[in-house]
Structure formats: structure tokens, C-alpha cells
Amino acid sequence: MYDLILKNISRFITLTPEEEQYFTSILKIKKLKKKQYLLQEGDITRHEYFVNKGCLRTYAIDEKGQEHIIQFAIEDWWTADLGSFISQSPADLNVQCLEDSELIQISYNDLQQLYIEIPKLERFFRIIIQNAFVAAQKRIINNLSLPAMERYIRFRDQYPKIEQRVPQYMIASYLGITKEFLSKIRAQLTNH
Amino acid sequence: MYDLILKNISRFITLTPEEEQYFTSILKIKKLKKKQYLLQEGDITRHEYFVNKGCLRTYAIDEKGQEHIIQFAIEDWWTADLGSFISQSPADLNVQCLEDSELIQISYNDLQQLYIEIPKLERFFRIIIQNAFVAAQKRIINNLSLPAMERYIRFRDQYPKIEQRVPQYMIASYLGITKEFLSKIRAQLTNH
């Protein structure tokens, strides 16, 4: 049940059997159906989530009601509205299942306690958040500096599994372009 | 000499006098003149930097030779090419002084040792990187969802000190618009 999350953690730190037991004792499984929300704008993000199975999208809605996808998450990824989680304030973001999904959740209070009991986990979360920051910064650079076709090619190369599981119009939203423009790009790539 | 960095750290953790002494013993001051580079693309980022005095910009250069500003940093901010620093691989980014600047630097190896000697500092860096990630994610959302004028207004509100110290064409670059377009926006705002 917790194999995937333990493997995920073992990439950066090594837990003793006792620590592993303590860590898994605070985990809870949450199952959601396709289209259900893990989190909606205005909710307080009470948990950090690890995707054990399934696929989700994180998006913001602008003043005109348009959706903008910030992140996709599939198996072996962490997800949440981190801004809402760390300040325990209302979320700006929505997190919705694109497939039936199984999440492993850690509550805010349990995580604070975990940092104290197992400081190695503080290291783990420092490292994964550093990696997430670097990825977010690369995305800002790409959005500022690369044409849409190149951004699409990189997205496909970087996340081949997501491309196959997510509707095209959501990929267009993630790239900040219309779905018509993405169709054009895909047609151009196919003809080459 | 180290008052500002110690105050910065004390926002999230409390060091004992001994820890404070150990921490400051590994710090080094680096002074640079206006226009000098703290880091250039291709360099390995050997240090994490805290701005004790001055103003810097971090930017990427795209394939057409155009610059895209990712971040400004003034007193009390941390800066580096974090992707390069954590992997000790060549930087994608350039960090240049916009004023004569004084940085406080921590080397990669010293920081790894510091995490072991003073685990509280691992907590500190986890927290500031979380905050940086949330800010980066907000910027991605704003870039996708807000018109340029609104992005400029928010930038000005959020970083009033930077607006005063940085040339307009760099702010345009940060916002992902031309300097002509920024002039138009500013004129519109003045006329209201």
C-alpha cells in the first residue's frame, strides 16, 4: 500500500525500520473518482498529497472565468496548493481528478510533528521543494523565451506519460495557448 | 556585518549563541561593482548568496540573444541559480549587479555540513524555498491569466523598492512585455 511513497522518499533519505513504521502510521489513503475535486479554490489545504494511482490537474480560474492549468500530477508525484498548505489559508487553486485516483495524505499537523520526530524528512521535503522550485523557474523562463511549438515539444519530451493521459485542450491550457493553436502545432509536427 | 542575515534567519528559526557563531564562521563577504557578474551562464554555482547591500538581476538569454529577467534581488533577499547550485552543474542563468553590491556567500560544501551540524538551518532553507516556490507558482499563474497592466500593478505593489531602483526596460523584460508597451501602460495609469 505504501511501497510507492517509501520508494519515492528513499531517493533522497534512508529511513530506519522504526522511522518507516512511524512515518507510515500517520499516512491515510484518500480515494476519489474521475472529475472529483481534491481541493477547490477557497478551501484550506489541510493535507499534502502523494499520488499513489491516478492523474490530477491543478488549475486557477481567472476573473473572466477562464481556467489555467498550473500542474498535472500522476503516480509518484506530490501535489497540493502549497501556498495554502504552508500558511493554512484559503487556496487560490483547484485540484481535480482526471482519472479515478488514490492519494496518500499527510495532515499539516502530522507533518510538523514529523519534522521534529524525523528531521531527515525535513531534508526530504527541502530537496523535493527545491526541485519543484527549479522546475517552476525553468517554466517561467520557457514561457518568457520559447515559442509555443518548442514549449510543446519540451513538455512532450519531459512528460510523455502525461501527454497520453490528458485531453489536448488541457495541455493547451498548461502551455498558455488556445487548443486550435495546439492543433496547428501538432499538425505541423506530424507533417515533418 | 552579519546583522541582516542573522535577522533574516531569525524570522523562522532561533539559533543559540554557539550556533550563531558557527554559522557566521563559514560566511564570506563578496563585493562587486555595478555591472559585474556574480554568475554567468555555464559557470557552476558554487555558492548560495544573501544580498547584504545592493541590487542584482537574474536573467536567461534565449536562442535569439534576447534577455529575459527572472528575478531581481535587493537587500535581505537570497539569490543564486538554484538549479545549478543543487546539482553543481553549469548555470542556465546570469546574475548581474545593477548597483555596487555586497553579498554574503555560503559554499555548497559548507552548506551541506551546516545542515548536519545545525538541522534547524535545514528547516530554515526548507521554509524559504517553499516561499520562493509559491511566489514562482503565483508568477506562472499571473503570466497565464492576467493582462500586462494588472501584472505591472501587482509587481509595483509587491516590490515598490525594486521599481525605484531598476531601469524600466528591465521591468518590461521581467513582465514579458516590450518597453514600449510598458511605457503605454504607465502613461495610461498616470492619466487616471
Side-chain angles (χ1 to χ4, degrees), chain A residues 60 62 68 70 82-83 86 92-93 115 122-123 126 129-134 137-138 140-141 144-145 176, chain B residues 62 68 70 82-83 86 92-93 115 122-123 126 129-134 137-138 140-141 144-145 176:
Chain A
D62 70 20
H68 301 278
I70 313 306
L82 190 69
I86 63 181
D92 295 325
L93 302 175
Y115 288 147
E122 186 133 45
R123 162 159 306 190
R126 173 183 62 77
I129 194 72
Q130 274 182 343
N131 294 342
F133 173 76
V134 170
Q137 207 173 41
K138 283 227 165 95
I140 292 171
I141 298 169
L144 288 171
S145 66
Chain B
D62 70 21
H68 301 279
I70 313 304
L82 190 69
I86 63 181
D92 296 324
L93 302 175
Y115 287 147
E122 187 133 44
R123 162 159 307 193
R126 173 183 62 79
I129 195 70
Q130 275 183 340
N131 293 341
F133 172 76
V134 171
Q137 207 174 39
K138 284 227 166 94
I140 291 172
I141 299 169
L144 287 172
S145 67

Side-chain angles (χ1 to χ4, degrees), chain B residues 4-28:
Chain B
L4 194 60
I5 195 170
L6 289 171
K7 205 174 145 205
N8 183 280
I9 284 175
S10 73
R11 261 181 239 159
F12 300 116
I13 57 166
T14 306
L15 296 179
T16 65
E18 293 73 30
E19 288 168 341
E20 208 173 283
Q21 198 171 14
Y22 175 71
F23 174 66
T24 54
S25 76
I26 64 150
L27 302 177
K28 288 213 179 75

Side-chain angles (χ1 to χ4, degrees), chain A residues 55 72-75 77 99 151-168 171 174 186:
Chain A
C55 179
F72 297 106
I74 56 172
E75 289 81 15
W77 287 41
E99 301 173 0
R151 294 203 317 266
Y152 172 62
I153 292 169
R154 291 198 187 192
F155 172 78
R156 243 179 23 176
D157 291 349
Q158 203 175 355
Y159 308 116
K161 285 182 197 163
I162 291 178
E163 155 111 47
Q164 292 156 22
R165 289 165 70 168
V166 163
Q168 288 296 314
I171 294 173
Y174 179 90
R186 285 166 53 88

Side-chain angles (χ1 to χ4, degrees), chain B residues 2-191:
Chain B
Y2 295 134
D3 288 354
L4 194 60
I5 195 170
L6 289 171
K7 205 174 145 205
N8 183 280
I9 284 175
S10 73
R11 261 181 239 159
F12 300 116
I13 57 166
T14 306
L15 296 179
T16 65
E18 293 73 30
E19 288 168 341
E20 208 173 283
Q21 198 171 14
Y22 175 71
F23 174 66
T24 54
S25 76
I26 64 150
L27 302 177
K28 288 213 179 75
I29 295 275
K30 186 179 182 85
K31 290 183 186 189
L32 289 173
K33 297 268 181 207
K34 183 174 173 172
K35 294 200 179 172
Q36 277 192 302
Y37 283 85
L38 183 60
L39 192 71
Q40 291 188 78
E41 190 178 334
D43 292 348
I44 300 203
T45 308
R46 305 269 182 211
H47 301 87
E48 177 84 61
Y49 299 98
F50 176 83
V51 185
N52 209 27
K53 197 174 158 304
C55 179
L56 302 95
R57 64 168 178 152
T58 300
Y59 66 95
I61 304 174
D62 70 21
E63 287 161 20
K64 292 180 195 149
Q66 213 188 329
E67 297 173 2
H68 301 279
I69 295 181
I70 313 304
Q71 197 207 37
F72 296 106
I74 56 172
E75 291 81 14
D76 208 21
W77 286 42
W78 293 83
T79 193
D81 180 328
L82 190 69
S84 162
F85 181 73
I86 63 181
S87 59
Q88 289 290 287
S89 61
D92 296 324
L93 302 175
N94 302 276
V95 184
Q96 188 190 24
C97 297
L98 302 177
E99 301 173 0
D100 293 354
S101 298
E102 184 178 288
L103 290 306
I104 298 174
Q105 65 181 39
I106 306 176
S107 79
Y108 181 82
N109 290 338
D110 283 345
L111 186 59
Q112 307 316 308
Q113 193 56 36
L114 207 56
Y115 287 147
I116 296 165
E117 305 283 343
I118 312 176
K120 271 181 279 188
L121 279 164
E122 187 133 44
R123 162 159 307 193
F124 173 75
F125 282 101
R126 173 183 62 79
I127 293 171
I128 64 165
I129 195 70
Q130 275 183 340
N131 293 341
F133 172 76
V134 171
Q137 207 174 39
K138 284 227 166 94
R139 188 160 164 217
I140 291 172
I141 299 169
N142 290 349
N143 285 352
L144 287 172
S145 67
L146 295 179
M149 184 185 283
E150 185 60 31
R151 295 204 315 266
Y152 172 62
I153 292 170
R154 291 197 188 192
F155 172 79
R156 242 180 21 176
D157 290 349
Q158 204 175 354
Y159 308 117
K161 284 182 197 160
I162 290 179
E163 154 112 47
Q164 292 156 20
R165 288 166 72 169
V166 163
Q168 288 296 314
Y169 78 91
M170 289 190 187
I171 293 173
S173 167
Y174 179 90
L175 296 171
I177 58 178
T178 64
K179 64 179 192 292
E180 291 76 17
F181 192 47
L182 180 58
S183 296
K184 253 191 221 170
I185 289 173
R186 286 165 54 87
Q188 277 182 313
L189 289 171
T190 313
N191 295 337

